[in-house]
Amino acid sequence: MKLIRMSFIAAIAMLVASCGDNKSREESVAQFRFHDGSFRIAQLTDMHYGCTETEKLDLIRDMVEKTVKNEHPDIFVLTGDIVTGRDDAHQGWLNMIDIFDGTGVPWAVVLGNHDAEANDDVNGDTIFSYLSKARNIVNVRGAAKVFGHGNKALTVLHADNDSVAAVIYCIDSNDYPVTEDLRRVSYYDVIHDDQIQWYIDESNRFKAMNGGVPVPSVAFYHICVPEILEVARDPNHNGKYEERCCPADVNVGFFGKTRIQGDMIGMFVGHDHTNDFIGMYQDIALGYGRQSGVEDENDTKAPMGVRIVELKEGKREFDTWVYTAKGGEEDKWYYPSGLSSSYEKNMLPAQNVEVCGNGVRYVYYQNDTGKCLDSVYDICKPSNKVEEGVTGKIDLSKAGREDFYGFDFDTYVNIPESGAWKVTLSSDDGSMLYLDGKLFLDNDGSHAEEAIFHYVGLEKGLHHLQVKYLENNEGNKVTVKLLGKNTPEMEIPAEWLFM
């Protein structure tokens, strides 16, 4: 009995000493700073490594080393389910330490729901005691008296001064419910209330340091928030959606709190292995990392990889893409535009036409039946034509009455730079937009104001634009907006329109 007690005390003493050593190591890690206007984060997730899997370890090592060589990350963030083999978790984590410390790049770890399942002797405390041996880990000393492990706000300073330019939140999304009440309603645990309050306090602290302006922030954790289901349902998300999203079965409001704080620009998770999509919800990017272990023997559908997140200094912007050791960089996705380089592969060519000056040709129609029509094609026909002429932009200023009319607008829009563009058509009632002679947006019908959009690659120069519009009664509106990677969303200005 004494021997057991003495061993336990000795183990605790060693753990405390180890944590003390790690404190000095964390504080000695070079301060994160922007350089050349950017800061790169490399996210790895769901490696599911067991220490007897030597082939998988070699593949992971190769991928990490190639990431360092080709992508030059400033930090690695591992978002859970890292060492999950049931043989020797201790050795598995030592192997991970060997790989990541060997790169010389600082790294952080948040746990997944499977990390503590390796065997009965493994839990978050023991895992982080293993990690305390690492030289370059930056979040072993997580937030004090906060549930979970590794919760930490990592700051990135401006290149030329010591003010905080961005914040990287490492957050433990935990694993399985610790209370009976939560177990009755959810299979997975949640981000706990004290963790959310810790984030709010940190967010407010950085905001106060920044003159009351929220500091652009990103968060990394394992299990997605329920709001990612909205991104999954959006057909305009970028990347693969091949597996059901599996958040906790209750919504504790973490996403909503970040929305209110106004600092968060992106959240990145793992957990659902064959998903790697990213998209926008309420002005925040929600995305998955690429699964960073080998899912199958061939691994051809989505090669194991690393998500790169490149923050921009002094801006609420980032670019992100997946890097794989097999295929290099995949499509880039841009925040806050939501545009993707995938649309730049097959861009619509500029039209080789001569124009005489700014303006929009229009034909104005009226419906004198007193009845509502179902389509723009019911109003935009020769028998309903009243007049034609030239106007400065696509609007309803030339209408001769409040209700029961239509327009056919015809112009060329001068796109200022080649790349991906978002085109939005909003109308009350119906509208149709043709781009370079083909139907691009169909917002037809009799309805209240509704906006639809799609993305397209456009070469710099003139592109033919035609908009048909139907007004029945009550509200009347038609607007065409453009958004480019370097152009904020706006109604097409008159100086861009030619005839």
Side-chain angles (χ1 to χ4, degrees), residues 109-111 123-128 139-140 142-143 146-152 170-174 195:
V109 171
V110 292
L111 299 180
N123 56 40
D125 290 336
T126 56
I127 290 171
F128 269 74
N139 73 321
V140 168
V146 175
F147 192 87
H149 300 82
N151 299 292
K152 191 156 187 176
C170 299
I171 299 174
D172 189 352
S173 58
N174 306 303
Q195 294 176 276

Side-chain angles (χ1 to χ4, degrees), residues 488-499:
E489 188 168 51
M490 62 180 178
E491 185 177 351
I492 303 178
E495 56 267 26
W496 287 23
L497 299 173
F498 292 83
M499 61 180 186

Side-chain angles (χ1 to χ4, degrees), residues 170-351:
C170 299
I171 299 174
D172 189 352
S173 58
N174 306 303
D175 44 28
Y176 304 101
V178 294
T179 66
E180 183 60 34
D181 287 343
L182 186 56
R183 279 194 290 269
R184 283 198 297 266
V185 295
S186 180
Y187 181 72
Y188 293 113
D189 202 356
V190 296
I191 297 174
H192 287 215
D193 289 346
D194 63 341
Q195 294 176 276
I196 298 174
Q197 187 59 52
W198 162 78
Y199 152 72
I200 293 172
D201 293 342
E202 290 289 87
S203 173
N204 287 336
R205 180 168 69 90
F206 295 124
K207 180 179 177 180
M209 293 166 57
N210 196 40
V213 178
V215 176
S217 303
V218 291
F220 291 85
Y221 47 95
H222 181 70
I223 300 176
C224 58
V225 291
E227 286 80 2
I228 207 167
L229 297 170
E230 299 295 331
V231 178
R233 287 189 281 263
D234 182 353
N236 293 291
H237 67 237
N238 177 254
K240 296 178 180 64
Y241 172 34
E242 298 181 351
E243 181 177 350
R244 182 174 67 91
C245 302
C246 294
D249 298 307
V250 293
N251 193 333
V252 295
F254 174 62
F255 176 89
K257 294 298 185 183
T258 68
R259 188 68 185 86
I260 292 170
Q261 288 299 114
D263 57 351
M264 198 67 65
I265 59 177
M267 298 183 182
F268 302 90
V269 298
H271 189 48
D272 304 317
H273 298 179
T274 53
N275 294 339
D276 64 11
F277 66 81
I278 186 169
M280 299 280 285
Y281 181 64
Q282 294 187 1
D283 299 325
I284 298 175
L286 298 177
Y288 284 93
R290 171 68 63 82
Q291 198 265 347
S292 304
V294 182
E295 277 285 272
D296 57 62
E297 194 173 79
N298 297 319
D299 202 30
T300 55
K301 199 168 191 180
M304 57 188 287
V306 178
R307 176 170 288 284
I308 305 295
V309 180
E310 185 176 71
L311 305 177
K312 306 296 184 180
E313 184 176 9
K315 302 176 181 178
R316 293 177 60 87
E317 297 178 10
F318 66 81
D319 298 344
T320 183
W321 60 93
V322 169
Y323 171 79
T324 72
K326 286 185 177 181
E329 292 183 357
E330 298 185 1
D331 294 334
K332 289 189 176 182
W333 187 87
Y334 311 114
Y335 179 91
S337 69
L339 299 171
S340 166
S341 64
S342 61
Y343 295 100
E344 299 169 355
K345 295 175 181 177
N346 297 295
M347 292 192 290
L348 293 178
Q351 302 290 295

Side-chain angles (χ1 to χ4, degrees), residues 45-48 56 60 63 291-295 299 304-305:
T45 193
D46 295 86
M47 287 181 277
H48 284 274
K56 177 180 279 192
I60 292 171
M63 181 181 65
Q291 198 265 347
S292 304
V294 182
E295 277 285 272
D299 202 30
M304 57 188 287

